[in-house]
Amino acid sequence: MIVLGCILKQIRASKNLSQYQLSKKSGVAQSYIHDIESGAKSPTLRTLEKLAAALEVPLGELLGEEEGKKAV
């Protein structure tokens, strides 16, 4: 899940959002966002959906999919 954490952090940074701001926007605790980004926690599908919606990106982008291809 470290790859997911890196992708989340990269997208969040590209949107100029802090973990706190993403937390407020998504309803996901800031500490949990930190844990996902550091690879300490594996989020549920529902949590990923909330984060993707807050970041205004497709869920597939958050999962590392590009143009219909799945991340390995």
Side-chain angles (χ1 to χ4, degrees):
M1 285 280 116
I2 292 175
V3 172
L4 172 63
C6 290
I7 293 169
L8 174 60
K9 187 173 185 177
Q10 181 180 22
I11 294 171
R12 178 179 58 75
S14 75
K15 304 277 185 176
N16 295 313
L17 292 172
S18 66
Q19 289 178 348
Y20 177 78
Q21 290 168 318
L22 179 56
S23 172
K24 291 298 176 192
K25 215 173 164 184
S26 66
V28 176
Q30 183 272 327
S31 60
Y32 194 62
I33 292 170
H34 170 78
D35 288 346
I36 295 168
E37 289 185 355
S38 67
K41 299 275 184 176
S42 298
T44 64
L45 180 58
R46 182 68 186 126
T47 298
L48 290 173
E49 290 171 338
K50 288 179 181 181
L51 292 169
L55 291 166
E56 301 175 347
V57 297
L59 182 57
E61 185 175 337
L62 193 58
L63 295 172
E65 296 176 2
E66 293 184 36
E67 300 176 23
K69 296 180 183 177
K70 290 186 177 182
V72 177

